[in-house]
Amino acid sequence: MPTSSSPQTDMTPAHRKLISGWLFLLCFMLLGMIAIGGVTRLTGSGLSIMDWQPVSGFIPPLSHAEWERLFALYKTIPQYHLQHEGFGLEGFQRIFWAEWIHRFWGRLMGLVLLLPLIWFVVRGMITRRLALRLFIFFILGALQGAIGWFMVASGFRPNSTAVEPIRLVLHLSAALLLYGAILWTAFSIRWPVPENHTSSSTARLAKRLACFTIVLLCTTIIAGGFTAGTHAGFLFNTFPLMDGHLIPTDYAQLSPFWMNWFINKAAVQFDHRLLATLTALSIGAVLFVGLKATDLGAKAHNAFILLGWAVVIQYALGVTTLLLVVPVWAGAVHQTFAAVLLGVMLYVLHCLRGTKAMA
């Protein structure tokens, strides 16, 4: 197996295309995982499976006795008594399948990562450094499963009908971190050499703005996680005003003040709206500056245009989800497209990596 740490020099073009394509597939599966997670959350299905079986969980219930056993477990948690008491085995099966598919998809992703990785290592198609990085991704994926169970377990507490928002945000953030790391690795393998090396002040400013914007975007997504976790999206379903006010009157009702950012539904929704708007404006600034940079190549300019379309779509999805009072399809698509927008933002940054910091 090659011993150098640089896939740019030790991987053939054919191998780079194959391996980056495999990683892009994993990123696509991660988007699917985020979408399924959104459906699971919005249908209240996440607490339907009371045990965590990383291996045997691949197999769904195959007998009536097993269905009855799982249903009996579900009857022991508060969500059943507070929301679903009396809905019967058929009702339980409806919410069960969303959560089971979510967990099955995660296990399938682990196999799609691990088995080809072993093959590529045995065949000497990747460098040792890259193999180590990809194995770490596998470990992080397994850790993400543990974080998911940590999140679900919070919903089993007395008088609880949903998971704790902070654990939901942790689960979502870990998924996006893994998604971003795999996607950046795929970009670097597919396009190992920057398109050009630029040093104009305009190109440097575009890169700095893009770096700032991706931090703002990640903050907005985290705020969206708290909006989902506290169910704040079901309030103030008008736009741009909230109950006739630009800033809700009960924004600062909790003390200490910082608790409003995480618990107060009015503040949580307003903060997400504000951050989303600032992110859209920041992306607009990136586009304005980046498209003026004549020393950037066609690939970077096309990335800017793609980013513009992506932010328009995501902002429209957010407003639509709010105005329709968070239907399952809209909430799931909005959550998933946030990851798509993050991916496009990473692509823009990857296209700008040849921009020099100083003239």
Side-chain angles (χ1 to χ4, degrees):
M1 189 175 78
T3 57
S4 172
S5 62
S6 174
Q8 291 93 324
T9 58
D10 287 335
M11 295 172 63
T12 68
H15 288 170
R16 284 202 301 269
K17 185 175 181 180
L18 173 64
I19 293 168
S20 62
W22 162 57
L23 294 178
F24 285 136
L25 171 63
L26 279 167
C27 290
F28 181 78
M29 292 185 72
L30 270 166
L31 291 177
M33 189 70 169
I34 292 170
I36 298 168
V39 171
T40 301
R41 172 179 57 81
L42 290 164
T43 57
S45 304
L47 304 180
S48 59
I49 302 179
M50 290 286 297
D51 47 11
W52 185 39
Q53 300 171 335
V55 178
S56 61
F58 253 118
I59 303 173
L62 299 178
S63 67
H64 182 75
E66 180 63 8
W67 276 114
E68 289 289 356
R69 185 188 72 83
L70 292 171
F71 188 29
L73 286 174
Y74 179 67
K75 288 179 179 179
T76 64
I77 69 172
Q79 187 190 66
Y80 171 75
H81 298 287
L82 296 174
Q83 289 187 343
H84 296 148
E85 188 166 14
F87 75 166
L89 181 60
E90 183 178 350
F92 171 71
Q93 289 172 329
R94 282 198 299 270
I95 66 171
F96 173 90
W97 282 116
E99 175 65 8
W100 184 85
I101 292 171
H102 186 53
R103 298 189 187 193
F104 173 82
W105 195 257
R107 294 180 176 102
L108 182 62
M109 285 183 55
L111 293 179
V112 173
L113 173 56
L114 183 61
L115 297 183
L117 174 57
I118 294 173
W119 172 256
F120 293 142
V121 170
V122 170
R123 299 286 295 177
M125 296 170 62
I126 59 177
T127 65
R128 288 176 179 167
R129 182 177 179 182
L130 179 59
L132 177 60
R133 180 192 298 187
L134 296 176
F135 182 72
I136 290 174
F137 290 164
F138 175 77
I139 298 299
L140 292 176
L143 178 62
Q144 172 68 345
I147 293 173
W149 178 250
F150 174 70
M151 174 191 70
V152 168
S154 68
F156 300 153
R157 295 177 176 179
N159 300 319
S160 178
T161 60
V163 301
E164 290 183 358
I166 187 66
R167 298 195 190 191
L168 174 67
V169 170
L170 176 63
H171 188 48
L172 176 63
S173 300
L176 291 174
L177 179 63
L178 183 61
Y179 165 77
I182 295 176
L183 189 60
W184 186 269
T185 301
F187 288 153
S188 298
I189 294 172
R190 179 63 66 95
W191 301 290
V193 180
E195 184 180 32
N196 51 23
H197 293 273
T198 59
S199 59
S200 71
S201 58
T202 305
R204 296 198 307 274
L205 177 59
K207 185 175 182 179
R208 287 195 294 270
L209 284 172
C211 290
F212 169 78
T213 300
I214 200 167
V215 173
L216 186 58
L217 173 59
C218 291
T219 306
T220 302
I221 294 174
I222 290 173
F226 280 105
T227 303
T230 59
H231 307 289
F234 292 92
L235 302 177
F236 306 106
N237 299 104
T238 57
F239 186 84
L241 300 180
M242 301 175 66
D243 198 20
H245 301 276
L246 184 61
I247 302 175
T249 55
D250 50 354
Y251 181 94
Q253 67 178 357
L254 299 181
S255 181
F257 179 77
W258 60 267
M259 290 181 62
N260 291 282
W261 301 337
F262 309 104
I263 301 175
N264 180 359
K265 294 182 181 181
V268 168
Q269 189 191 126
F270 175 80
D271 291 345
H272 185 48
R273 289 187 184 209
L274 177 62
L275 286 166
T277 301
L278 292 175
T279 299
L281 293 174
S282 183
I283 289 177
V286 172
L287 299 180
F288 178 76
V289 174
L291 292 173
K292 286 177 59 179
T294 57
D295 52 342
L296 292 175
K299 182 182 172 186
H301 280 78
N302 290 336
F304 287 132
I305 294 172
L306 182 63
L307 178 63
W309 281 110
V311 72
V312 168
I313 292 171
Q314 176 63 353
Y315 201 89
L317 282 171
V319 174
T320 299
T321 302
L322 181 70
L323 295 180
L324 296 180
V325 197
V326 199
V328 173
W329 71 267
V333 172
H334 181 52
Q335 176 174 298
T336 307
F337 207 82
V340 174
L341 179 58
L342 176 61
V344 175
M345 194 73 237
L346 287 170
Y347 179 61
V348 168
L349 278 173
H350 198 267
C351 291
L352 294 175
R353 73 194 192 283
T355 303
K356 298 178 180 178
M358 299 179 61

